[in-house]
Amino acid sequence: MAAICLKVKEKTEVTTTYFLFLRKRSQTAAAMAKLILLLLKCILFCGTVYAVFEDQVGKFDWRQQYVGKVRFCHFDGHMQSSKKVLLATESNVFAALNTRTGEVLWRHVDKTGPEGNIDAFLQNGQDSVLVVGNGRVLRSWETNIGGLNWEVVLDSGSFQSTCLVGQQGTVKNVAVLKKTAISLHYLSNGHQKWIENLPDSDTVDYQTVYSGGNGEVYVLGVVPHSHIAVVAFSVDDGEILKQSSVEAPWLSSIPESCQIVDQEMLICVDSTTMSLYTLDLTLQLQMNQIPLQSLELEVDPDFRPSLVSHQPNPAKQPLSEFFLQLGPDRYVLLQFNSGQIVMLRDFKPALLVSFATTGEKTVAANKLELTCSLLDFGTQIWNLKIIKLASTINLYNAETGRRLLDTTLIFTMDPNGGKPERLNIQAFLKKDDSVGYRVMVQTKDHALTFIQQPGRVLWTREEALSDVLTMEMVDLPLTGTQAELEGEFGKKTDGLMSMVFKRLSSQLILLQAWIAHLWKLFYDARKPRSQVKSDISMENLSRDEFNLQKMMVMVTASGKLFGIDSKTGGILWKHYLENIPSNAGFKLMVQRTTAHFPHPPQCTLLIKDKDTGLASLHVFNPIFGKMSHVTPPALPQPILQSLMLPFMDQDYAKVLLLIDDQYKVSAFPSTKYVLQQLQEMAPTIFFFLVDSSQGRLSGYRLRTDLSTEQIWEVILPTEIQKIVSVKGKRPNEHVHSQGRVMGDRSVLYKYLNPNLLAVVTESTDLHQERSFVGIMLIDGVTGRIIHEAVQRKARGPVHVVHSENWVVYEYWSTKSRRNEFSVIELYEGMELYNSTAFSSLDRPLVPQVLQQSYIFPSSISTMEATLTEKGITSRHLLRIVSLPKMFLDPRRPEMASEQSREENLIPYAPELMIRTEWFINYNQTISRVRGIYTAPSGLESTCLVVAYGLDIYHTRVYPSKQFDVLKDDYDYMLISSVLLALFFATMISKRLAEVKLLNRAWR
Amino acid sequence: MSRHWIGDTLASDGLEAEFNGLSVPLEHSFELDDVAKFQLRGSLMLKTGREPSVSLNQNQLSEEDRTKLKEVAAVDGLYRIRVPRVFLQADKQTEWQTEGHLTAFVRACAMVESHLSDVITLHTDVSGYLIGVSIVTLPGACRGIEVEDEVDLEVFNTTLSIMAPVNAPGPETALFIQRMEQEFEKKGKNPQEQKSFFAKYWYLILGGAIFLMVSNSAQPPAGGGREQS
C-alpha cells in the first residue's frame, strides 16, 4: 500500500470548534403546547484528532525555519539593550532574529516571485518600512512583535529609490521615487502627503532620492553620457524649489558611482578619467573634478572604483567621511572638508568595510561614529594540516581614522564555507563609554555568522538551506564492530583455521563492545538525566536498530552541500562548491551505498549549466562530506542525459552513464571491467531523451562501441500541446503484491512495467473551453503508447505521482474552477502474461486502464508517494496531508455491493474530504514546500518524509499504522504474567494428570 | 530504396480519392549492421474526418528479404518501421504532411517466430496529428524456434488500428447526487409514520412501564399502611 504527500498551500488553522445542537421538543401539556428550545453547547477541541499524541510532538519530527539569502539587514537600534536583527531577504521574507541565539523571533513570508520582492527596507526607531513588489506596496511593520502598522498600495510605476525624510531632527515622512513620480507618505499612518510628477521623465532616468533633513527632498536623475538632472522638492507641499541640470558626460548610473556626503554634497567616482567629482546640490553650479592622482591614489587595473558613505540619522546630514574602494582588497577613508578632500587612512589589505553608529547619549567629545573594516591578513596558519583562514576586524574612528583600542576581533572562517560578502556591525557603548560591538558576517554561501568580541562565534545560520534543490537519504554506516563482522564475509576465504580464528576474534570484539556498552549504561544511570547527552557527532555516527536515522544529503542552489542527521536535524558536515553557475541544475546520485564495507559510500553530483549544457561532476563521501579520491572525468561536451545502471563495478560502485550532445556515451567509473560489462550488456541498455521544445520523445539503444542508435520516436506537435513533465518510476521501489484479490476470490493482476513513463502535456491554447491536460503512458524501452487520455477543460500546474501500477495527477478544472485529482490504474487482467520476468519487448497485450476523478478541496504545491523497504505497506500520497491511496482508487464502485465490500472498496464520492488527522505536520506550518522526499526505513511500517522549501520538516509516517511495532503502553507485565501462569498451570495439571494416571493404574 | 515490388499504383491519386482520405507509405528496415535503411512495406490508407479509420495494403516479402530477415533475427537485430507524420484533420492535401517520421521497432526474431503476425497501432493526438506508432508481434517472445517453412515468412498478417486519446472522466458529481437522492427517496418511502405508535416508541413505553412498576413496588409499604389506617 502507498500514500501520497501533497502540500496544501493554505495554512490550516486549528481552532476551537463549537457545535451547536438545537433541539426542538414539543411538549404535549394538557392545555397548551409549549415550545422549548434546548441549547446544547458542546465544546470540542480539535486537538484530540491529531495524528500524533500530544506527548509525541517533536519526538519523531523536527522543523527548521529559514529566511533565505539576506538582502537588507538592520540592527534594531532604538534601544541599547535590543536583541534583534531585522532581515529582508531575497526569498521575499521579512524576519527578526534573536541576536543571542540566532533563532527566528517572527517571520513574514510574502508571495514568491517579483510580486513579493522586497525592493527597499528602511528602519526608523521601532518601525520598519518596506517597499514590496517593484513599488506596488509600501508597508510598515512594528519590530517588537512583528505586527503590521499599516500598508498602502502605491500608484503604478516601476520603483527606483526610497528614503526617509526628516525635519528638525525628527523623521516623519518617507519618500518613494518611481519612474515618473515622487510621493511622500506619513510614517505614522502611510497616508500620502503629496505626489508630484517629475519633469522630463521621458528623457531623464531618475534614480536616487535624498533628504538631508533641511526641508528639501532632492531627486537625482541622469541622462546617460550627457548630464545630471537635480530637482529639489519642498517637503511641506511638494513644490519644486529648484531644478537644474549639470554636465556629466561620463556618468551612466548614479547609485553605482555616486554618494552623498556632508551637506548636500554629491560625490561621484569615474574610472575612465580616474577622478572624483563633487557637486554641491544647493548651489548646483557644475561638477568639480578632483583627479585621484592629486590625492596620490591609484585604482587597480580593471577595477571599477566605488564609494561607501553613511547617514546615521535621516533627519541629519550624512557624515563627511566616506570610503573609496580602489581594488578588491584596498579601501581608503576620505573626508570632505570645506571643498577639499583629505585622506584619513589607507586600508590595505581590507576585504570589507562598513560604517556603524551608536548612541546619542551625549554630544560630548565621545566619537560616536565609527568606521569599521575587516582586514583579511590572509594568514594561513598551518595547524594540523588544516588551513585556517583567520580574519581580523578592527574599529576605527571615522573622524580621525585612528584605530580604537581593544576593538580587534579575530575569528577563523569555516574552510568549507564561502568568502565574506558583507559586514553588519552592531556597535554599542559600554559602561565606561568605550565602544563595544558585535558583528554579523554574511558569506557567499548564504551563511550568517554572528560574532562577539573577542572572536566568539555566537551562532551560525545556514540560510543556503532555504533553497534546497535536491536531496538524497543515505543509510548510516554500521558501527566498527558490525563492520568487522560484515568484513569477515566480504573477504576471500583463506583456510578453515584462520576463518575460525577470525570468527572468534570478532566475537570477542563484540563481547568487549557489549560490556563497554553495559558499563556505560550503568555509569550513565547514576548521573542525573539532564547530564546524559545524546548528541550525535561524527565519531558515533552509526546505524540504529531499525535504520530510522539516516544521513540527509542536501544540495542547495548556492552550491553548498549539507549532511544533516535525520534524527535531530543537526548539520554534520557542509561543503561549499565554488564557481557554481547561477542557473545550475543539480542531479544527485548515490553510486555506492554504505553496504559495501570497506569501500566508502560514494555520491556523485552532476552540476549542469542550464544554458550551455556543460556539466561537471563532484564525487564525495555522503557520510563525511569529503571529496572522494576518485577523480571524475572531465566532460568537454554538453550532457543531455545521465542514468545510473543497476550493475556495479568490482568496487561495488554503480555505473553512471552520461550521454553527450553527440549521442556518445561515457561511463563513470570507466574501468576496463566496466567497459567490458557495458559491451556485454549494451543491447539491453535503453534510454530516452525528451526535447520539450520540439515535443519530441525519442528512444535510444546502446551499441557495443558505446555509441547509440535511435530506435523509436514519438513527436507531439508543439502547436497543440507542450510536454510539461515526464515521470518514471523510482528505481528503488518494491512491489510485493502482484495483484488484487477481488470479491469473488479471483485475482486481478497489476500491470507492473518498470519502464513505464507518464508524460503530461498541457495545451498551448489556454482558453478555458478548449484547454486540456493530456496524459500519456509510454513504455520507455519500446516507445509504445500504452494509454493516451485527455482531461478536457483542465489546466495546469499538473502534479504527477507515478508508482506501482498507478498514476495520480492533480490539475485545475477550468470549467468548475476547482482542483481535481485523477487516478489511473493499470491491470493485466485475470491472467498474467509472463509471470517470471517482465520485459517491455515481450508484452504484446495492452493493459486494462481504469480511471476515476475526484474533487480536491485545496490546492497542491507538491506531491510524492511514500516508500517502504519491502513494498508491503500500503501507499499514501503525501502532501503534508498524508492522503491514503485507498481513497484514490478507480475501482471505487458507484453502489456498494457485496463483493466490493469484501474487497474493502469505499463507495465512490466525488469529493475527497481532508481529514484533520491527515495533516502530518499538525500545527507546524511549513512555508513554500518545493519538494517532498520519501525514504524507506528498516521498519516496514515506517516511511521517512522530508519536506523542503523555505523550511525543512522531517517526520515519519505510518501508512498502514504501526503494525510491526508494539505500542508504547504495551503491557509487558500482563502478557508475561499470563504466560508464566499458563506455564505453571500446565506443569501442575501435567503433574496432577500423572498422579491420577498412576492411581488409576494401581486400582 | 527502390524495390521491384513497390506498388506504385497504390499511392496513386485515383485510390486516394476513392478512400476519401490519404495514403501514406509504411516503411520498414532490417539490416545486419543495424543501420536503418527504410524500404517500402506497404501503404496505409487513412480515412480522415471525425472518426479516422485505417487500412493497409502491403506486399509479400521477397525471397531475398526473407533470408535477410532470418539472418537479422539470428543476430538479434531489430525490425523497424516508420510512418511519416501526418495531420488527419486537414482538408487540403498540401496540409497533411509535416516534417519527420515516427518510428518503432520489434526484435527481428519475434517477427520471424510470430510468422509475420504483427499488431500496428497508430496514435493521434486530440487534434488529429499522428504522434506515434507502435508495433508488437503475437506471440511476442523469442524462444529460438526455427522457422523452417519459408512460406510462413511471405505474407504479413497485420492487425492495424488507429487510436485517438480517450476522454478522461471528471468527478462524477451528477451520478453521486442521483444516488444520494435515490437513497433519500428510499428513506422517504418508508417513513416513520407507517410504523405504529407502539412500534416507534416501544422502548419508551417499556421504560415507562418498568419505571412505574419499580416505583409501585417501592410504594406498597406506605400505601398499605394508609389502607390499614
Side-chain angles (χ1 to χ4, degrees), chain A residues 69-114:
Chain A
K69 191 194 177 190
V70 175
R71 182 180 285 165
F72 305 107
C73 165
H74 282 289
F75 285 97
D76 188 9
H78 75 278
M79 255 158 52
Q80 186 79 358
S81 60
S82 175
K83 286 181 283 187
K84 235 175 269 138
V85 57
L86 300 160
L87 306 171
T89 71
E90 293 187 356
S91 312
N92 306 348
V93 174
F94 180 52
L97 302 183
N98 185 337
T99 54
R100 301 282 147 86
T101 59
E103 278 163 14
V104 176
L105 288 170
W106 47 261
R107 185 179 75 162
H108 295 286
V109 184
D110 209 332
K111 286 173 194 157
T112 47

Side-chain angles (χ1 to χ4, degrees), chain A residues 716-765:
Chain A
L716 299 164
T718 44
E719 52 264 39
I720 307 293
Q721 53 193 343
K722 56 179 192 293
I723 300 170
V724 288
S725 96
V726 177
K727 280 253 172 143
K729 285 181 192 173
R730 284 168 66 150
N732 56 343
E733 79 171 20
H734 300 265
V735 183
H736 265 231
S737 69
Q738 289 279 321
R740 284 176 66 152
V741 182
M742 313 281 286
D744 57 358
R745 298 284 184 270
S746 61
V747 177
L748 186 62
Y749 287 100
K750 292 176 182 172
Y751 180 77
L752 298 167
N753 183 349
N755 309 316
L756 198 66
L757 306 173
V759 180
V760 178
T761 60
E762 275 178 45
S763 61
T764 44
D765 189 353

Side-chain angles (χ1 to χ4, degrees), chain A residues 949-967:
Chain A
L950 188 61
D951 301 339
I952 297 175
Y953 182 73
H954 170 267
T955 190
R956 302 174 191 171
V957 290
Y958 316 99
S960 307
K961 306 270 159 58
Q962 284 180 284
F963 60 79
D964 50 4
V965 179
L966 290 180
K967 283 200 182 95

Side-chain angles (χ1 to χ4, degrees), chain A residues 591 602 604 617 630-635 639 641-645 647 649 653-660 664-679 685 702 705-707:
Chain A
Q591 274 201 297
Q602 184 179 321
T604 303
L617 290 174
V630 185
T631 42
L635 306 165
I639 297 296
Q641 169 83 288
S642 63
L643 71 158
M644 287 284 265
L645 294 182
F647 78 88
D649 72 346
K654 280 185 189 163
V655 177
L656 175 69
L657 284 190
L658 298 162
I659 295 111
D660 63 20
K664 277 273 182 192
V665 171
S666 53
F668 170 69
S670 57
T671 55
K672 214 174 164 189
Y673 174 81
V674 170
L675 293 178
Q676 196 188 332
Q677 285 272 308
L678 267 182
Q679 273 184 4
I685 297 171
L702 195 67
D705 59 345
L706 294 188
S707 65

Side-chain angles (χ1 to χ4, degrees), chain A residues 985-1000:
Chain A
T986 346
M987 293 295 281
I988 292 162
S989 55
K990 197 179 167 192
R991 176 81 190 130
L992 287 175
E994 269 172 17
V995 171
K996 200 177 177 186
L997 271 176
L998 192 67
N999 286 342
R1000 195 181 289 163

